[in-house]
Each structure stands twice: as structure tokens, then as C-alpha cells.
Amino acid sequence: MTSSQHVYEVRPRKDRRGFDLISDALPFGRLWYAQPNAVSNAVGYAKFRNRSHDAVIRVYDEAGNVIETHEHAGDFKE
């Protein structure tokens, strides 16, 4: 992991009402997704937000196991 790489986690909410997208790179620390395609939307937002940075996006199940990993290379480089 490089200093310009952001790490995101997509985790199920404890109240079972959707998923949280969590990262230090987000202005408020987390975003809540509750639509039927919440995981896909969260991953898409993390990729969009990191157009100029590399990112690793990990999707977790309810037991805390990583079930998907997405690596996104930033499109806009100097």
C-alpha cells in the first residue's frame, strides 16, 4: 500500500439495514447504503471518489470475513 492509496471497507450494518462504506478518506468517515444493490453502489462510489488515487475496496460478510476485494488504479495521474 502506498501513501496515495485509499482503503475502503463495505460492511453490513449491525442493525441489518443495509451496508456502511467506511474509510478515513471520506469526509464523515462512513456512508450508509440501503438499496437492494447497496454493495455495488458503495463500491462504485469508492471507485468514483478515487479517480486520481489508487484504492483498495474490501467487502465483508456478517462474520467479518473478506468476500470480495476490488483494486482500483487512479485514472488521472500527473
Side-chain angles (χ1 to χ4, degrees), residues 10-58:
V10 179
R11 293 187 176 267
R13 292 175 56 92
K14 291 181 182 180
D15 62 7
R16 298 179 188 236
R17 295 177 55 205
F19 291 82
D20 285 325
L21 174 63
I22 305 165
S23 177
D24 289 341
L26 295 171
F28 300 107
R30 70 178 56 212
L31 294 173
W32 175 22
Y33 288 87
Q35 307 90 349
N37 51 350
V39 171
S40 176
N41 288 343
V43 169
Y45 180 81
K47 287 180 178 179
F48 174 78
R49 181 154 172 79
N50 284 284
R51 296 179 309 271
S52 61
H53 291 89
D54 294 342
V56 174
I57 306 151
R58 295 184 186 109

